[in-house]
């Protein structure tokens, strides 16, 4: 048990999928895992452990934003020895070529600030995905026929951003999408030599202002869970 995770030692698998929404963790565990059981409900941040094709997997909510994700990722890594951490979440599209429902595999995560900024001091560390996971996820997504983009994303501290100039610069620099967690997940994975990746579904679009209808959110989310699981256990 840790301050924020009630699971017993051994109840967390070496491979952890991390959706922001705890109810998505429940849905994904019930839909994709065999023998899923609840291992955490502290603060309602649900976590489940089961198996996928015989491999142990935990699906643990991270909450929204890097400070929340940092709490769970730190405890998963340092107290439960998680080795592979894959964020599964939604993002806002930032390029014309990126469509609603498309999948983005975040090769890098730019940010203004992360919970690690004080630690890095004057250094601009470049948070990046584990290449093996990224490559395996790309193969899995391509095999499924899901339109997929690989590149840089932006991890923001604000959902209701009031800096259109900043958005313009990010778009100009080819950033594919915006979300709020990946950069710190990547920082922590590098610090503790773990594997990390963010697999994101485009749920809304900053240029076209389209949004995924709520009726379709579940099926699009399912593709992402399968891509993450296939990447985690790729040979
Ligand atoms: N901004 C930040 N995070 C997000 C967005 C967004 O537009 N869409 C989904 N997560």
């Amino acid at each position: 048990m840790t301050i924020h995770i009630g699971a017993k030692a051994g109840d967390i698998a070496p491979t952890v999928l991390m959706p922001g929404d705890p109810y998505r963790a429940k849905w994904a565990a019930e839909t994709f895992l065999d023998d899923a059981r609840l291992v955490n409900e502290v603060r309602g941040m649900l976590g489940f452990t089961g198996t996928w094709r015989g491999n142990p997997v935990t699906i643990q909510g991270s909450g929204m934003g890097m400070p929340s994700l940092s709490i769970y990722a730190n405890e998963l890594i340092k107290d439960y020895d998680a080795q592979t951490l894959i964020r599964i979440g939604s993002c806002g599209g930032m390029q014309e070529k990126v469509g609603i429902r498309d999948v983005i595999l975040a090769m890098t995560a730019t940010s203004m600030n992360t919970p690690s900024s004080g630690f890095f001091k004057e250094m601009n560390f470049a948070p990046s995905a584990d290449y093996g996971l990224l490559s395996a996820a790309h193969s899995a997504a391509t095999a499924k026929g899901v339109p997929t983009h690989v590149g840089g994303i932006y991890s923001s501290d604000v959902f209701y951003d009031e800096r259109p100039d900043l958005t313009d610069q990010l778009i100009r620099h080819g950033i594919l999408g915006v979300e709020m967690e990946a950069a710190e997940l990547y920082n922590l994975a590098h610090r503790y030599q773990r594997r990390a990746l963010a697999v994101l579904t485009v749920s809304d679009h900053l240029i076209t202002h389209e949004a995924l209808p709520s009726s379709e959110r579940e099926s699009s989310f399912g593709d992402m869970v399968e891509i993450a699981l296939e990447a985690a256990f790729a040979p």
Side-chain angles (χ1 to χ4, degrees):
M1 261 176 75
T2 60
I3 295 175
H4 303 94
I5 302 176
K8 293 192 290 291
D11 272 353
I12 301 286
T15 297
V16 184
L17 268 48
M18 301 185 76
D21 179 351
Y23 288 109
R24 286 272 171 84
K26 182 173 194 290
W27 177 81
E30 286 170 352
T31 308
F32 294 100
L33 301 188
D34 294 321
D35 305 319
R37 61 200 166 88
L38 181 73
V39 293
N40 182 48
E41 52 183 336
V42 176
R43 291 180 183 242
M45 196 55 76
L46 306 177
F48 296 82
T49 296
T51 60
W52 181 77
R53 297 184 184 166
N55 302 292
V57 177
T58 295
I59 307 184
Q60 168 64 55
S62 70
M64 288 179 279
M66 290 185 268
S68 180
L69 174 129
S70 159
I71 290 171
Y72 295 100
N74 262 287
E75 294 179 11
L76 289 165
I77 290 172
K78 293 195 279 194
D79 298 296
Y80 294 99
D81 204 24
Q83 297 295 321
T84 297
L85 299 98
I86 304 182
R87 164 162 160 67
I88 46 175
S90 59
C91 73
M94 294 184 78
Q95 299 290 327
E96 300 275 5
K97 68 178 181 187
V98 170
I100 295 287
R101 299 177 197 84
D102 289 4
V103 163
I104 293 177
L105 304 175
M107 186 159 68
T108 60
T110 295
S111 67
M112 293 271 269
N113 196 48
T114 69
S116 294
S117 297
F119 174 88
F120 286 134
K121 296 188 181 167
E122 65 274 44
M123 194 189 304
N124 268 321
F125 184 74
S128 57
D130 176 84
Y131 180 71
L133 282 179
L134 179 68
S135 168
H138 187 248
S139 301
T142 307
K144 281 177 147 315
V146 177
T148 302
H149 310 265
V150 180
I153 61 147
Y154 177 58
S155 295
S156 178
D157 278 339
V158 277
F159 188 88
Y160 298 106
D161 207 340
E162 297 191 16
R163 286 280 307 272
D165 59 317
L166 186 65
T167 302
D168 290 346
Q169 289 306 327
L170 290 165
I171 291 170
R172 183 178 169 209
H173 286 81
I175 292 294
L176 298 172
V178 53
E179 53 83 79
M180 301 182 70
E181 294 82 15
E184 186 63 2
L185 178 65
Y186 288 1
N187 284 338
L188 292 168
H190 283 287
R191 192 173 307 149
Y192 296 105
Q193 292 95 52
R194 309 301 158 105
R195 304 197 304 163
L197 176 67
V199 182
L200 306 167
T201 299
V202 179
S203 62
D204 53 84
H205 207 290
L206 273 66
I207 300 174
T208 64
H209 304 293
E210 284 171 278
L212 193 61
S214 51
S215 56
E216 283 186 42
R217 280 178 193 248
E218 216 156 75
S219 57
S220 302
F221 193 76
D223 284 339
M224 185 167 58
V225 179
E226 288 181 322
I227 291 167
L229 288 167
E230 286 184 28
F233 299 107

